[in-house]
Amino acid sequence: MRRTATALAVLLCAACGGAPAASSSPTTSAAPSSSAGPSDAPSSAALSSGPAVPPVAGIEAVAVQLRTDVAIGGQVQVRVTDTGSEPFTVTSVAIDSPGFAPLPDRAVTAAFTPGRTVDLPTPFGGAVCDTAAEPAAARLTVVRPDGRTEVLRVPLAAADLTRIHTDACAARAVLAVAGVTVTGLALEGEAVTGTLETTRGGGDGRAVTLTRLEGNVLYDVEADLPVTLAEGESSAEVGLTFTTARCDPHALAETKQPYLFVLGVQVDGEDEVTVDLPLDQAQRDTLFTLTESAC
């Protein structure tokens, strides 16, 4: 019992720490998995790109998204390697990519010796969907052994950033056709029930299908999918039912994304795109109450 209570406390912290602030409205709109602005995503052929980034002697960098980065959201690891013959210290890091809005440098302290590799957690901004993520650079403030300080743009191998950019812009494009909301979540006995709704967002009248909804380690979720918002219709909805999948202390304590549910969306027969089911803090709290009562 004590282990379960401790695990529930960890789960409650996960609900509060990584979640958006509670909304005053009972409705929450879906969003891409990375932060994004208001414009739609163009096709890959239409993307512009920035200039090539010249190499920096003695330093290499790769953007890597680890499972912990996915759980936190909005960051990757900038994996820096000292490929030269001298030590140096990195005191700040930022991602410099034309495909993402710029963010301030993040202060770090990482000492490098020849051959050493260090992962530097680094946030990225909202996707800029008319521009490719690469060529990209890691902007590093580097202190040399003699005390000299340099701000360097190191070429950044950014396959993971490109994937994040592609996914975010694809999600943005489908949600521009029809948004997704969750309403009316309430605890009913051993389940939480509510409504999943898709509402047309503008002048694009193409059919939109919600194809599937996946549960996670802690919660099973059922919805009568697929459901299609037909051409010319303004909205469509189905019922939602969440039930507890696991109560063991290991699952409760180790789950990094207890309120992540993947929703498939398809526009007019095109490839399916996945978005996160939108749940505000009050709705997450309702799911936590289900876990608390069941476990």
Side-chain angles (χ1 to χ4, degrees):
M1 180 66 71
R2 180 174 298 174
R3 290 179 62 198
T4 300
T6 301
L8 283 169
V10 172
L11 179 61
L12 179 60
C13 290
C16 297
S23 169
S24 58
S25 164
T27 300
T28 308
S29 298
S33 56
S34 66
S35 50
S39 61
D40 295 348
S43 68
S44 58
L47 297 183
S48 62
S49 61
V53 182
V56 174
I59 307 178
E60 293 182 355
V62 181
V64 180
Q65 186 181 46
L66 305 178
R67 291 179 62 186
T68 51
D69 299 318
V70 175
I72 293 169
Q75 76 169 34
V76 294
Q77 304 294 313
V78 172
R79 182 167 291 169
V80 178
T81 300
D82 182 346
T83 60
S85 58
E86 293 187 350
F88 59 84
T89 299
V90 173
T91 59
S92 75
V93 60
I95 290 170
D96 187 350
S97 163
F100 292 90
L103 294 178
D105 292 11
R106 179 179 179 270
V108 296
T109 301
F112 291 82
T113 53
R116 188 182 187 208
T117 297
V118 178
D119 283 353
L120 305 176
T122 309
F124 54 83
V128 179
C129 288
D130 61 356
T131 308
E134 299 180 85
R139 188 169 62 248
L140 305 176
T141 301
V142 173
V143 180
R144 300 296 186 179
D146 61 5
R148 290 182 298 114
T149 298
E150 302 175 276
V151 178
L152 303 175
R153 294 181 76 251
V154 177
L156 183 65
D160 279 7
L161 273 181
T162 293
R163 175 182 49 79
I164 292 167
H165 183 272
T166 299
D167 292 348
C169 293
R172 181 185 304 175
V174 300
L175 293 174
V177 180
V180 177
T181 55
V182 173
T183 61
L185 283 194
L187 182 64
E188 295 186 4
E190 296 182 351
V192 167
T193 61
T195 301
L196 173 63
E197 182 175 7
T198 180
T199 303
R200 197 168 299 283
D204 191 330
R206 290 178 295 168
V208 176
T209 300
L210 305 184
T211 57
R212 61 188 172 93
L213 180 60
E214 297 181 359
N216 59 35
V217 173
L218 296 186
Y219 301 102
D220 292 323
V221 58
E222 294 183 2
D224 189 14
L225 299 178
V227 63
T228 297
L229 175 63
E231 185 175 349
E233 290 183 345
S234 60
S235 65
E237 64 180 42
V238 293
L240 280 175
T241 302
F242 297 88
T243 53
T244 301
R246 287 178 62 177
C247 273
D248 56 285
H250 176 76
L252 294 173
E254 296 300 322
T255 299
K256 300 295 190 295
Q257 294 178 292
Y259 307 108
L260 175 63
F261 302 90
V262 175
L263 176 66
V265 184
Q266 189 177 42
V267 176
D268 201 25
E270 296 177 356
D271 291 343
E272 179 191 76
V273 172
T274 57
V275 301
D276 296 347
L277 185 72
L279 296 173
D280 66 21
Q281 185 62 53
Q283 292 167 333
R284 296 177 185 211
D285 290 345
T286 300
L287 288 176
F288 175 80
T289 300
L290 171 64
T291 301
E292 192 174 35
S293 63
C295 300

